[in-house]
Amino acid sequence: MNQLSKPTPEQIELEIARLKAVHPQVPTHSFFGDDNRAAIDAQIRVLEEGMSLDEVHEAFGELTEEGDFSQNTLDCALTAHDWLNGDLAADEASPAFGWEGIAR
C-alpha cells in the first residue's frame, strides 16, 4: 500500500529540518561500520535537490574516485527519494523517524 500523496513543500522542509536536527545526535557509525551521518547527509541532499531516481543512483550508487561505495547510504537516499515521491509503503516511516529512534 502506498502513501496517499506526495509530501507538501512545507512537509519536505520540516523533514529536512528534522534530519538536520538529528544529525549530530546519531552515532557516527552503526554496529556494522556504516557511516550514519553520510547516510543522513544523502537524505538531506535528495530532499533539498528533489533528486530523480537516476540522480540518486548516479550520486550514491556508484564507486567514488576513492573506490568507496556504501549500500547503506544508497538505501537511505532511496528511502528519501521514495518518501519525496509518495512511494513509501503505508507502514514505512519518514526518513527522519528512523534516525530519531537511535539518537543520543
Side-chain angles (χ1 to χ4, degrees):
M1 179 186 280
N2 289 345
Q3 290 172 196
L4 296 176
S5 62
K6 293 181 180 184
T8 65
E10 293 79 17
Q11 290 169 317
I12 295 167
E13 287 302 316
L14 178 60
E15 193 67 15
I16 292 168
R18 288 174 64 198
L19 287 165
K20 287 181 177 181
V22 78
H23 187 278
Q25 300 172 349
V26 169
T28 307
H29 290 84
S30 74
F31 175 78
F32 302 104
D34 295 321
D35 187 338
N36 290 331
R37 294 185 181 170
I40 295 171
D41 289 338
Q43 290 181 317
I44 292 168
R45 182 173 167 197
V46 169
L47 298 180
E48 287 180 338
E49 297 180 16
M51 297 173 82
S52 70
L53 190 57
D54 286 342
E55 290 170 329
V56 170
H57 278 281
E58 200 170 291
F60 307 109
E62 299 178 2
L63 292 176
T64 65
E65 291 178 9
E66 296 81 29
D68 297 330
F69 169 75
S70 170
Q71 185 66 51
N72 182 60
T73 299
L74 175 60
D75 290 344
C76 290
L78 290 170
T79 296
H81 171 272
D82 290 348
W83 179 82
L84 186 63
N85 288 285
D87 292 333
L88 284 183
D91 63 343
E92 291 182 281
S94 69
F97 184 81
W99 297 116
E100 291 165 344
I102 63 168
R104 300 186 219 164

